Amino acid sequence: MPQTIFDDPDGTLSMLRDSAATLASRRPGPASLRAKRAGSADIDRDLWTSMAEAGWLGLLLPEDLGGAGLGLAEQAVLSEALGRALIAEPVGAGAVFASTLLRDAPASAERDRLAAGLASGELLVSPAWQDPSRHSHGAALKAMVDGDGFILTGDRHFVDGATSASDFLVVVDAGREALVVSVPAGRSGISVSEKAGVDGSAIGRVAFERCSVGANRVVARGPSIEALVENAVTNARIAIAAELAGIASKAVEMTIAYTKDRVQFGRPIASFQAVQHRLVEMWSDAEFACASVVNAVVKQSEGDDKAAHLAVLAAKARCGDAATSICRRAVHLHGAMGFTDEHDIGLYLKRAIALSATLGQPEAMRLEFVELEHAA
Amino acid sequence: MATDWNAMSDDDFRAAFRDLVERRLPAELRFMRKQRPLFDEVAVWYHALNEEGWLSPVWSVEYGGMGLNPAKHMIYVEEWGRLGCPRIPDHGLGLIGPLLLAFGTEEQKAYYLPKILSGEHVWCQGYSEPNSGSDLASLRTAAVRDGDHFVVNGQKIWTTLAHCANWIFALVRTSRDEKVRQKGITVLLIDMTTPGVKVRPIANLRGETDFCEVFFDNVRVPVENLVGEVDQGWNVAKSVLGHERIFLGAPTRPEIAMERLDKLARARGAFDDPAFRSRYAKHRLDLYDLGSAFERFAKVLREGGELGADVSLLKIFTTELYQRITEEMLLLAGEDARYFDDIEAGNGEVDAMNLFLDSRAPAIFGGSNEIQKNILAKAVLGLPS
């Protein structure tokens, strides 16, 4: 069945797959998701701690910052396994994004504190970098110089783990430059609200009202927000694409199992050609998704920036479309069972929709791909 | 002393092929519009390849082939397409040769293989019949033993290039097993100059005659022209493809179509239209991702592995993508889609209709896409009957 295929000379990747499967059997993703949804929680703390102990949250952080010092192939395999198991925690948009920002930042006591805490699970470092979308209420966040430090006013949307966060990693426009600053969650001038996510998560909105930040909290500086987050977006997109590929593959397998089991007209419905062709198309789409993830990872290390960027856009688009459309077809092939909240397949669909919409929908990725490719 | 091509670096191998093309392939035969030239139209290239020892990439060196491993063979096929070499009648090289190597007697190999290389024998493949297409095992062309001969009666159809071939490799029925229809099929090599063989070309949608009907009326075939055993021909016929199945899924056709779509879109300013850009981006990414999926299987071959049945997902995807891109060209053509001939695009012309019509075929041949899905459902997904 579909799976990303990387060279794995020392067996690290298959070990990661195995340990993810072990965790998933001990703490099944769907049960955790349901409990989190019932309690309106943004994070499953126990699960998060288990992942930190396994070394997964700081997977991409260098060892001297407390991380595992592994690469994107390992991240992709892990995220794929999390997708398969429906362990629906903000690993891609949260941990991967934050650890890439910290990895890229110049050495400082604050950077080291956050990196070590993120990797060990003692801190929950939530990236807060997106302005409210054009269509929602809220004002773009600005930082104003205040002595050595800054004063933040405005809003950050799409903050994962906002309620549980110990520290926000805020990326903000400061006029002539842009900054990455850390803001302790309890700091005065911060208010957090949440909206329920379709996948059972809680999506945070953080409002800053004259929130002052000292110079010692400035983690990185750059010419623009885009420049500061570029690598973090890339890595998070690869992780999310891989998670989507895992969801896609698992949804195909669940649907094959269900249709082989479900008997109508005296035969398993998987024996009908109309159903078989649909299943083959779903399987093929999942294979393409996995291949696009492998391509995106391989291209990151070949030294061609444009090719690397194109590959990530392609993978995010392919995996988003594959996972959402496979899960839609999977729900249909589960018949009325697929429409119940009781069956897990609907949870896979909702998670696929949420991840496909995170950091760029497929259509936007494709248009960006073509624009970049045509730019000589 | 034969060259050990497999020991050569990939770059050197590419360079050697390029050098050969520059020296021996006449300019007018490069990037031919015709997909399936007749033997005489490309004979000069066929003979040049033979003289240079490049005609048969996969046959073993012992029988005059290059003995390429799958990785080198992939480069050979890539360069062939990239440099615009014309397709040569290749049933002898690609199909009959490997079958004789696997199932033929020493006498058969010694007799037929050199004649394929010299071009003296030009082969076609007699599989499909009017009522046996996807359901090939239902074929009815009959061969009845009569002393030292089989007497063949029946009809083949969709026989590619039969009108320029002088030998046909035919599946015929020698007995009937009601339970297992694949039994009772036999492979015969038939000289098409034998009395009773008649060929009628069939014009296709593009107005070209790539394929034919072949009629057999009491055609007497010597028993030594049997390949393998009587009634066991199905296994012979099935064994042909091997690693070459990856080529059915190569992105070549949609790449050509995409290059033409680009040209047409630029000439007509279509990239300024957001609706077109959106559709274009989808095709472009389909092609890009097909490359990633192809690489997944190509890597298996490069590393010495074998392909499973799953590789045919590439064939389905590439043939359907080829259709989508050429359909887009007709949309973009506007009222010019009324023209049969090439349409204006800036300084040149684009063969939109030609490619659109051509794209109807690959989803049908080599096992229709629906048949591919049936096979995948059973062999890969393990779905019940």
Side-chain angles (χ1 to χ4, degrees), chain A residues 16-63:
Chain A
L16 263 174
R17 276 204 172 93
D18 289 349
S19 44
T22 307
L23 178 68
S25 65
R26 215 158 34 81
R27 306 188 47 91
S32 158
L33 189 157
R34 288 196 162 87
K36 206 166 68 167
R37 185 178 64 179
S40 301
D42 58 346
I43 299 266
D44 181 329
R45 289 308 298 234
D46 288 349
L47 198 47
W48 195 258
T49 305
S50 302
M51 290 197 285
E53 282 164 2
W56 298 346
L57 300 181
L59 196 85
L60 292 173
L61 281 172
E63 288 174 81

Short mmCIF file of all heavy atoms in Angstrom, two decimals, chain A residues 16-63:
data_model
loop_
_atom_site.label_atom_id
_atom_site.label_comp_id
_atom_site.label_asym_id
_atom_site.label_seq_id
_atom_site.Cartn_x
_atom_site.Cartn_y
_atom_site.Cartn_z
N LEU A 16 11.66 4.89 12.98
CA LEU A 16 10.70 5.96 13.25
C LEU A 16 9.27 5.48 12.97
O LEU A 16 8.35 5.75 13.74
CB LEU A 16 11.01 7.16 12.35
CG LEU A 16 11.83 8.30 12.93
CD1 LEU A 16 12.13 9.31 11.84
CD2 LEU A 16 11.07 8.98 14.08
N ARG A 17 9.11 4.80 11.84
CA ARG A 17 7.78 4.27 11.49
C ARG A 17 7.28 3.34 12.57
O ARG A 17 6.12 3.42 12.98
CB ARG A 17 7.86 3.49 10.18
CG ARG A 17 7.76 4.33 8.96
CD ARG A 17 7.26 3.56 7.73
NE ARG A 17 7.03 4.52 6.67
CZ ARG A 17 7.95 4.83 5.75
NH1 ARG A 17 9.10 4.23 5.73
NH2 ARG A 17 7.69 5.76 4.85
N ASP A 18 8.17 2.46 13.03
CA ASP A 18 7.77 1.50 14.05
C ASP A 18 7.38 2.19 15.35
O ASP A 18 6.37 1.85 15.97
CB ASP A 18 8.91 0.50 14.33
CG ASP A 18 9.12 -0.45 13.18
OD1 ASP A 18 8.24 -0.47 12.28
OD2 ASP A 18 10.14 -1.16 13.16
N SER A 19 8.21 3.18 15.76
CA SER A 19 7.88 3.79 17.06
C SER A 19 6.61 4.63 16.95
O SER A 19 5.84 4.70 17.92
CB SER A 19 9.05 4.57 17.65
OG SER A 19 9.67 5.34 16.68
N ALA A 20 6.35 5.22 15.79
CA ALA A 20 5.09 5.95 15.63
C ALA A 20 3.91 5.00 15.69
O ALA A 20 2.88 5.29 16.30
CB ALA A 20 5.08 6.71 14.30
N ALA A 21 4.08 3.81 15.09
CA ALA A 21 3.00 2.82 15.12
C ALA A 21 2.77 2.33 16.55
O ALA A 21 1.63 2.10 16.96
CB ALA A 21 3.33 1.65 14.20
N THR A 22 3.86 2.20 17.30
CA THR A 22 3.72 1.76 18.69
C THR A 22 2.95 2.79 19.51
O THR A 22 2.03 2.46 20.26
CB THR A 22 5.11 1.53 19.32
OG1 THR A 22 5.84 0.66 18.47
CG2 THR A 22 5.00 0.94 20.71
N LEU A 23 3.34 4.06 19.35
CA LEU A 23 2.63 5.11 20.08
C LEU A 23 1.16 5.12 19.70
O LEU A 23 0.27 5.26 20.55
CB LEU A 23 3.26 6.48 19.80
CG LEU A 23 2.56 7.66 20.48
CD1 LEU A 23 2.75 7.59 22.00
CD2 LEU A 23 3.05 8.99 19.96
N ALA A 24 0.89 4.97 18.39
CA ALA A 24 -0.48 5.02 17.92
C ALA A 24 -1.32 3.87 18.48
O ALA A 24 -2.50 4.03 18.75
CB ALA A 24 -0.51 4.99 16.39
N SER A 25 -0.67 2.71 18.69
CA SER A 25 -1.46 1.60 19.23
C SER A 25 -1.70 1.79 20.72
O SER A 25 -2.72 1.36 21.27
CB SER A 25 -0.75 0.26 18.96
OG SER A 25 0.46 0.22 19.67
N ARG A 26 -0.76 2.49 21.38
CA ARG A 26 -0.94 2.76 22.81
C ARG A 26 -1.95 3.89 23.03
O ARG A 26 -2.75 3.87 23.95
CB ARG A 26 0.43 3.16 23.40
CG ARG A 26 0.69 2.69 24.81
CD ARG A 26 2.20 2.62 25.14
NE ARG A 26 3.06 3.60 24.54
CZ ARG A 26 3.22 4.85 24.98
NH1 ARG A 26 2.57 5.28 26.02
NH2 ARG A 26 4.07 5.65 24.36
N ARG A 27 -1.90 4.89 22.19
CA ARG A 27 -2.77 6.05 22.33
C ARG A 27 -3.42 6.34 20.98
O ARG A 27 -2.96 7.23 20.27
CB ARG A 27 -1.97 7.27 22.78
CG ARG A 27 -1.14 7.06 24.05
CD ARG A 27 -0.58 8.39 24.48
NE ARG A 27 -1.61 9.42 24.47
CZ ARG A 27 -2.36 9.72 25.52
NH1 ARG A 27 -2.18 9.12 26.66
NH2 ARG A 27 -3.30 10.63 25.42
N PRO A 28 -4.47 5.61 20.63
CA PRO A 28 -5.06 5.76 19.30
C PRO A 28 -5.46 7.21 18.99
O PRO A 28 -6.09 7.87 19.82
CB PRO A 28 -6.29 4.85 19.35
CG PRO A 28 -6.00 3.87 20.44
CD PRO A 28 -5.17 4.62 21.45
N GLY A 29 -5.05 7.67 17.81
CA GLY A 29 -5.31 9.04 17.42
C GLY A 29 -6.78 9.43 17.44
O GLY A 29 -7.13 10.48 18.00
N PRO A 30 -7.66 8.62 16.86
CA PRO A 30 -9.07 9.01 16.83
C PRO A 30 -9.65 9.21 18.23
O PRO A 30 -10.43 10.15 18.45
CB PRO A 30 -9.75 7.85 16.10
CG PRO A 30 -8.67 7.29 15.23
CD PRO A 30 -7.41 7.43 16.02
N ALA A 31 -9.28 8.35 19.20
CA ALA A 31 -9.81 8.49 20.55
C ALA A 31 -9.31 9.79 21.17
O ALA A 31 -10.06 10.53 21.82
CB ALA A 31 -9.37 7.30 21.41
N SER A 32 -8.04 10.08 20.95
CA SER A 32 -7.46 11.31 21.48
C SER A 32 -8.13 12.53 20.87
O SER A 32 -8.46 13.51 21.55
CB SER A 32 -5.96 11.31 21.19
OG SER A 32 -5.44 12.61 21.20
N LEU A 33 -8.36 12.45 19.55
CA LEU A 33 -9.01 13.57 18.87
C LEU A 33 -10.41 13.82 19.44
O LEU A 33 -10.81 14.95 19.71
CB LEU A 33 -9.08 13.27 17.36
CG LEU A 33 -9.52 14.38 16.41
CD1 LEU A 33 -9.01 14.11 15.01
CD2 LEU A 33 -11.03 14.57 16.37
N ARG A 34 -11.15 12.72 19.67
CA ARG A 34 -12.52 12.87 20.19
C ARG A 34 -12.51 13.47 21.59
O ARG A 34 -13.34 14.33 21.92
CB ARG A 34 -13.22 11.51 20.22
CG ARG A 34 -13.57 10.98 18.85
CD ARG A 34 -14.61 9.84 18.95
NE ARG A 34 -15.24 9.65 17.66
CZ ARG A 34 -14.76 8.87 16.71
NH1 ARG A 34 -13.65 8.19 16.91
NH2 ARG A 34 -15.38 8.78 15.55
N ALA A 35 -11.57 13.02 22.42
CA ALA A 35 -11.50 13.54 23.78
C ALA A 35 -11.15 15.03 23.77
O ALA A 35 -11.72 15.84 24.50
CB ALA A 35 -10.47 12.76 24.59
N LYS A 36 -10.22 15.38 22.90
CA LYS A 36 -9.80 16.77 22.80
C LYS A 36 -10.97 17.65 22.34
O LYS A 36 -11.21 18.72 22.88
CB LYS A 36 -8.65 16.84 21.77
CG LYS A 36 -7.71 17.98 21.95
CD LYS A 36 -6.45 17.79 21.13
CE LYS A 36 -6.72 17.89 19.65
NZ LYS A 36 -5.48 18.02 18.86
N ARG A 37 -11.69 17.13 21.37
CA ARG A 37 -12.83 17.87 20.83
C ARG A 37 -13.90 18.06 21.91
O ARG A 37 -14.44 19.14 22.09
CB ARG A 37 -13.41 17.10 19.64
CG ARG A 37 -14.52 17.80 18.91
CD ARG A 37 -15.00 16.98 17.73
NE ARG A 37 -15.59 15.70 18.15
CZ ARG A 37 -16.10 14.80 17.30
NH1 ARG A 37 -16.06 15.02 16.00
NH2 ARG A 37 -16.62 13.69 17.74
N ALA A 38 -14.16 16.98 22.67
CA ALA A 38 -15.19 17.06 23.72
C ALA A 38 -14.80 18.07 24.79
O ALA A 38 -15.65 18.75 25.36
CB ALA A 38 -15.40 15.68 24.33
N GLY A 39 -13.51 18.16 25.07
CA GLY A 39 -13.06 19.07 26.11
C GLY A 39 -12.61 20.42 25.58
O GLY A 39 -12.03 21.22 26.32
N SER A 40 -12.82 20.68 24.29
CA SER A 40 -12.40 21.93 23.64
C SER A 40 -10.94 22.24 23.91
O SER A 40 -10.58 23.41 24.10
CB SER A 40 -13.27 23.11 24.09
OG SER A 40 -14.61 22.86 23.80
N ALA A 41 -10.10 21.22 23.96
CA ALA A 41 -8.68 21.45 24.23
C ALA A 41 -7.95 21.70 22.92
O ALA A 41 -8.37 21.24 21.86
CB ALA A 41 -8.09 20.23 24.93
N ASP A 42 -6.86 22.46 22.99
CA ASP A 42 -6.09 22.75 21.77
C ASP A 42 -4.98 21.72 21.54
O ASP A 42 -4.50 21.56 20.42
CB ASP A 42 -5.52 24.17 21.81
CG ASP A 42 -4.63 24.42 23.02
OD1 ASP A 42 -4.65 23.60 23.97
OD2 ASP A 42 -3.91 25.43 23.03
N ILE A 43 -4.57 21.04 22.61
CA ILE A 43 -3.47 20.07 22.54
C ILE A 43 -3.82 18.91 23.46
O ILE A 43 -4.44 19.11 24.49
CB ILE A 43 -2.15 20.72 23.08
CG1 ILE A 43 -1.73 21.93 22.27
CG2 ILE A 43 -1.04 19.70 23.22
CD1 ILE A 43 -0.75 21.64 21.17
N ASP A 44 -3.43 17.71 23.09
CA ASP A 44 -3.49 16.59 24.02
C ASP A 44 -2.14 16.56 24.74
O ASP A 44 -1.14 16.12 24.19
CB ASP A 44 -3.74 15.29 23.24
CG ASP A 44 -3.83 14.06 24.16
OD1 ASP A 44 -3.16 14.06 25.22
OD2 ASP A 44 -4.54 13.12 23.80
N ARG A 45 -2.13 17.06 25.99
CA ARG A 45 -0.86 17.27 26.69
C ARG A 45 -0.07 15.98 26.86
O ARG A 45 1.14 15.96 26.68
CB ARG A 45 -1.08 17.90 28.08
CG ARG A 45 -1.51 19.36 28.07
CD ARG A 45 -0.60 20.25 27.24
NE ARG A 45 0.78 20.32 27.69
CZ ARG A 45 1.43 21.44 27.95
NH1 ARG A 45 0.81 22.60 27.88
NH2 ARG A 45 2.69 21.41 28.31
N ASP A 46 -0.76 14.89 27.20
CA ASP A 46 -0.05 13.62 27.40
C ASP A 46 0.62 13.15 26.10
O ASP A 46 1.76 12.73 26.10
CB ASP A 46 -1.03 12.53 27.86
CG ASP A 46 -1.46 12.77 29.30
OD1 ASP A 46 -0.83 13.64 29.96
OD2 ASP A 46 -2.42 12.11 29.75
N LEU A 47 -0.16 13.27 25.04
CA LEU A 47 0.35 12.85 23.74
C LEU A 47 1.54 13.72 23.34
O LEU A 47 2.56 13.24 22.84
CB LEU A 47 -0.78 12.98 22.72
CG LEU A 47 -0.70 12.25 21.39
CD1 LEU A 47 -0.30 10.81 21.58
CD2 LEU A 47 -2.05 12.34 20.68
N TRP A 48 1.39 15.02 23.59
CA TRP A 48 2.45 15.97 23.25
C TRP A 48 3.73 15.63 24.01
O TRP A 48 4.83 15.61 23.45
CB TRP A 48 1.98 17.40 23.57
CG TRP A 48 2.81 18.47 22.95
CD1 TRP A 48 3.77 19.22 23.57
CD2 TRP A 48 2.78 18.92 21.58
NE1 TRP A 48 4.33 20.11 22.68
CE2 TRP A 48 3.74 19.94 21.45
CE3 TRP A 48 2.02 18.55 20.46
CZ2 TRP A 48 3.97 20.61 20.24
CZ3 TRP A 48 2.24 19.21 19.27
CH2 TRP A 48 3.21 20.22 19.17
N THR A 49 3.57 15.32 25.30
CA THR A 49 4.73 14.96 26.12
C THR A 49 5.38 13.66 25.63
O THR A 49 6.60 13.55 25.54
CB THR A 49 4.31 14.79 27.59
OG1 THR A 49 3.66 16.01 27.99
CG2 THR A 49 5.49 14.55 28.50
N SER A 50 4.52 12.69 25.26
CA SER A 50 5.06 11.44 24.74
C SER A 50 5.88 11.70 23.48
O SER A 50 6.93 11.09 23.26
CB SER A 50 3.95 10.45 24.38
OG SER A 50 3.16 10.19 25.50
N MET A 51 5.39 12.57 22.63
CA MET A 51 6.10 12.87 21.39
C MET A 51 7.42 13.58 21.68
O MET A 51 8.43 13.33 21.01
CB MET A 51 5.22 13.69 20.44
CG MET A 51 4.07 12.87 19.87
SD MET A 51 3.32 13.62 18.40
CE MET A 51 2.40 14.95 19.14
N ALA A 52 7.40 14.46 22.68
CA ALA A 52 8.65 15.14 23.06
C ALA A 52 9.65 14.13 23.58
O ALA A 52 10.84 14.15 23.21
CB ALA A 52 8.36 16.21 24.12
N GLU A 53 9.18 13.20 24.43
CA GLU A 53 10.08 12.18 24.98
C GLU A 53 10.68 11.30 23.88
O GLU A 53 11.82 10.86 23.98
CB GLU A 53 9.32 11.30 25.99
CG GLU A 53 9.14 12.01 27.33
CD GLU A 53 8.08 11.34 28.21
OE1 GLU A 53 7.51 10.31 27.78
OE2 GLU A 53 7.83 11.87 29.31
N ALA A 54 9.88 11.08 22.83
CA ALA A 54 10.38 10.25 21.73
C ALA A 54 11.37 11.03 20.86
O ALA A 54 11.99 10.47 19.96
CB ALA A 54 9.21 9.77 20.88
N GLY A 55 11.49 12.33 21.11
CA GLY A 55 12.43 13.15 20.34
C GLY A 55 11.85 13.70 19.04
O GLY A 55 12.57 14.20 18.18
N TRP A 56 10.52 13.63 18.91
CA TRP A 56 9.91 14.00 17.64
C TRP A 56 9.68 15.50 17.49
O TRP A 56 9.62 16.00 16.38
CB TRP A 56 8.56 13.29 17.48
CG TRP A 56 8.68 11.81 17.44
CD1 TRP A 56 9.83 11.08 17.28
CD2 TRP A 56 7.62 10.87 17.58
NE1 TRP A 56 9.55 9.74 17.30
CE2 TRP A 56 8.20 9.57 17.48
CE3 TRP A 56 6.25 10.97 17.77
CZ2 TRP A 56 7.44 8.41 17.57
CZ3 TRP A 56 5.48 9.81 17.85
CH2 TRP A 56 6.08 8.55 17.76
N LEU A 57 9.51 16.21 18.60
CA LEU A 57 9.15 17.62 18.47
C LEU A 57 10.36 18.46 18.06
O LEU A 57 10.23 19.47 17.39
CB LEU A 57 8.54 18.14 19.77
CG LEU A 57 7.26 17.41 20.20
CD1 LEU A 57 6.69 18.01 21.48
CD2 LEU A 57 6.20 17.46 19.09
N GLY A 58 11.53 18.00 18.49
CA GLY A 58 12.75 18.70 18.10
C GLY A 58 13.54 17.93 17.05
O GLY A 58 14.76 18.04 16.98
N LEU A 59 12.82 17.17 16.26
CA LEU A 59 13.47 16.30 15.28
C LEU A 59 14.45 17.05 14.40
O LEU A 59 15.56 16.57 14.10
CB LEU A 59 12.39 15.63 14.42
CG LEU A 59 12.81 14.42 13.62
CD1 LEU A 59 12.73 13.17 14.48
CD2 LEU A 59 11.91 14.24 12.40
N LEU A 60 14.07 18.24 13.96
CA LEU A 60 14.89 19.01 13.01
C LEU A 60 15.90 19.92 13.70
O LEU A 60 16.74 20.52 13.05
CB LEU A 60 13.99 19.87 12.11
CG LEU A 60 13.09 19.13 11.12
CD1 LEU A 60 12.15 20.12 10.43
CD2 LEU A 60 13.91 18.38 10.09
N LEU A 61 15.79 20.05 15.04
CA LEU A 61 16.74 20.92 15.75
C LEU A 61 18.09 20.21 15.90
O LEU A 61 18.13 19.00 16.13
CB LEU A 61 16.20 21.24 17.15
CG LEU A 61 15.13 22.33 17.23
CD1 LEU A 61 14.56 22.38 18.65
CD2 LEU A 61 15.68 23.69 16.82
N PRO A 62 19.17 20.96 15.75
CA PRO A 62 20.49 20.35 15.95
C PRO A 62 20.62 19.80 17.38
O PRO A 62 19.95 20.28 18.29
CB PRO A 62 21.46 21.52 15.75
CG PRO A 62 20.69 22.62 15.16
CD PRO A 62 19.25 22.39 15.44
N GLU A 63 21.52 18.83 17.52
CA GLU A 63 21.66 18.20 18.83
C GLU A 63 22.13 19.18 19.89
O GLU A 63 21.72 19.12 21.04
CB GLU A 63 22.60 17.00 18.74
CG GLU A 63 21.94 15.83 18.01
CD GLU A 63 22.90 14.67 17.78
OE1 GLU A 63 23.08 13.90 18.73
OE2 GLU A 63 23.46 14.57 16.68
#
